[in-house]
Amino acid sequence: MRLIPLAAAALVAVSAPALAQTGFGPLLTPEQAAEAQASGEALFLDIRSGDEGAATPYETGHIAGAVPAPYALFRGPKENPGQVPEAAKLTEILSGLGVTADRPTVIVHEGKDASDFGAAARVYWTLKSSGVSQLAIINGGMRGWQEAGLPLSTDAVTPEPSAFTVTFSDRWLATQDEVQQVVEGKEEAKLIDARPQEFWEGKKAAPAAARPGTLPQSEYFTHDRWFGSNPAIIDADRAQSLATEAGYTDGEELISFCNTGHWAATNWFALSELAGVENVKLYPESMVGWSNAGLPMDNVPGPIRNLWNQISGVF
C-alpha cells in the first residue's frame, strides 16, 4: 500500500462555520470527507477490524486523525451479536472515543461490498440513537478514499475523552416485545427482512440462530438492492424511488430486521436517512434473538428438509 505524505497532500481547508453551512451527511464522497478532515472540525471513527495476530487495517494505513473504533465495540456478545450494549456501556465507549453530541462525526468502514456497508450503517444508527446529532458515512469507505488518491497515515491517534453521556432514544428502535405485538396483531407495522431470499425462505440460517425461518407476516427487501454497479457505493439518488416502488411510505411503521441487525441497518439507513421515510425502526437482535427466544416463525423447514438444506449448503 502506498502512503502519501501528509505534507504533500494539498487539501482545501474548510472552516468550521463553512462545514456547518454546507450541510453534513448522511453520506459523504471521499472528496467531501477529505474537506471535513482538513477542517479539523469532524471526528473520524475508523470501525475496521483485522484478523487476530496480524496488523490491523488501521495500523496499515488510515485517515489522518481518525480514531480506531472497531465494529465489535458496538455489538453484543457472540451468542447475540445484534444486542445493543447498555447505555452505561455505550457511554463508556463513546466518551472514551471522544464523541460529543454536536461534533460532526464521520464513520469509516472498509468499503468492500454491500454487506460491509451494514457495519457503518449499524454504527450510524447506534450513534444517532445515542444522541449524536451530526453523522455521516464515507460512501465507498476506505476503498473509495484510496481510489480517490487521498492520503493515508500510520500515526496512531489517542482520542481525548469527552464528557458525553448516552441517553438512548427508542425512536428508531423496535424491541422484541414491540415486534411480538405486531406478530400477534395487537399493533400494526410492516416487517421487512433485509436478508437474501434463501434466509427468508428458511433455506439458510445464521450460525447463532436456533432455527431457520423468518418473522410471521414479513416480506423481504434485500439490503443490497440499494447499491448500483459498484457494490461498495450505495445509490442515494435511487433510494427514494426504490422506497416508493416498494410501497414504503410515511403511512405506516416499518421494522427492519435480518440475522443480527447488520444488513437490516442498511435498509434502515436507506429508508430513514436517504429516502426520508419517517417511522422506520431497526430490530437489532433480529432473527438470532427471536429464534433463540423460542418465538413463532414462518418458513421453518421440517427436520428432514432442514437437514437436506444444511448438507446441500456444504457442496
Side-chain angles (χ1 to χ4, degrees):
M1 180 183 295
R2 184 169 63 95
L3 300 182
I4 304 174
L6 295 180
L11 300 179
V12 178
V14 181
S15 67
L19 186 58
Q21 290 169 7
T22 56
F24 188 80
L27 284 175
L28 297 177
T29 65
E31 292 78 11
Q32 289 170 330
E35 292 179 348
Q37 187 270 344
S39 77
E41 180 187 1
L43 171 67
F44 282 68
L45 297 180
D46 191 326
I47 67 169
R48 296 176 296 161
S49 302
D51 296 328
E52 188 174 351
T56 67
Y58 180 87
E59 292 170 333
T60 303
H62 55 265
I63 296 171
V67 174
Y71 184 41
L73 290 175
F74 304 91
R75 303 287 276 165
K78 184 177 180 180
E79 64 273 12
N80 191 9
Q83 186 178 59
V84 181
E86 295 291 336
K89 182 62 176 177
L90 278 176
T91 293
E92 177 186 340
I93 292 169
L94 298 185
S95 62
L97 294 173
V99 172
T100 64
D102 55 1
R103 184 181 183 186
T105 301
V106 181
I107 299 160
V108 186
H109 63 298
E110 187 66 47
K112 293 183 296 185
D113 50 32
S115 184
D116 183 56
F117 184 88
R122 176 60 188 258
V123 173
Y124 182 110
W125 174 86
T126 303
L127 292 173
K128 183 169 184 173
S129 298
S130 296
V132 182
S133 61
Q134 297 189 73
L135 288 163
I137 297 171
I138 300 178
N139 205 2
M142 280 301 298
R143 180 177 176 181
W145 178 276
Q146 291 176 256
E147 288 176 350
L150 294 166
L152 298 178
S153 172
T154 54
D155 295 335
V157 175
T158 301
E160 181 178 344
S162 69
F164 183 67
T165 300
V166 170
T167 302
F168 202 86
S169 171
D170 62 0
R171 179 176 175 182
W172 304 284
L173 168 69
T175 65
Q176 179 179 290
D177 288 342
E178 288 175 314
V179 174
Q180 193 166 358
Q181 292 285 308
V182 175
V183 168
E184 294 175 354
K186 298 174 182 177
E187 297 290 342
E188 291 188 8
K190 187 173 288 186
L191 303 171
I192 305 171
D193 194 334
R195 301 174 299 171
Q197 183 177 349
E198 57 265 33
F199 283 90
W200 183 83
E201 292 176 339
K203 295 178 180 178
K204 292 183 68 174
R211 58 194 184 281
T214 189
L215 291 177
Q217 305 149 38
S218 68
E219 59 186 63
Y220 68 88
F221 189 99
T222 56
H223 67 103
D224 57 0
R225 288 186 61 186
W226 306 104
F227 298 80
S229 57
N230 186 334
I233 304 295
I234 194 165
D235 193 341
D237 292 337
R238 293 185 62 227
Q240 191 166 13
S241 61
L242 279 175
T244 301
E245 289 171 13
Y248 301 149
T249 65
D250 296 340
E252 63 181 324
E253 183 174 289
L254 306 175
I255 297 177
S256 179
F257 71 95
C258 57
N259 286 322
T260 64
H262 177 94
W263 290 330
T266 296
N267 276 5
W268 172 87
F269 179 86
L271 289 166
S272 174
E273 307 303 279
L274 298 181
V277 179
E278 297 288 342
N279 213 19
V280 185
K281 294 187 174 184
L282 173 70
Y283 174 32
E285 293 89 350
S286 288
M287 292 314 302
V288 167
W290 183 270
S291 66
N292 288 330
L295 294 166
M297 294 170 58
D298 276 356
N299 299 345
V300 178
I304 295 177
R305 169 56 62 180
N306 189 30
L307 178 61
W308 170 252
N309 288 341
Q310 294 179 47
I311 292 173
S312 60
V314 175
F315 299 98

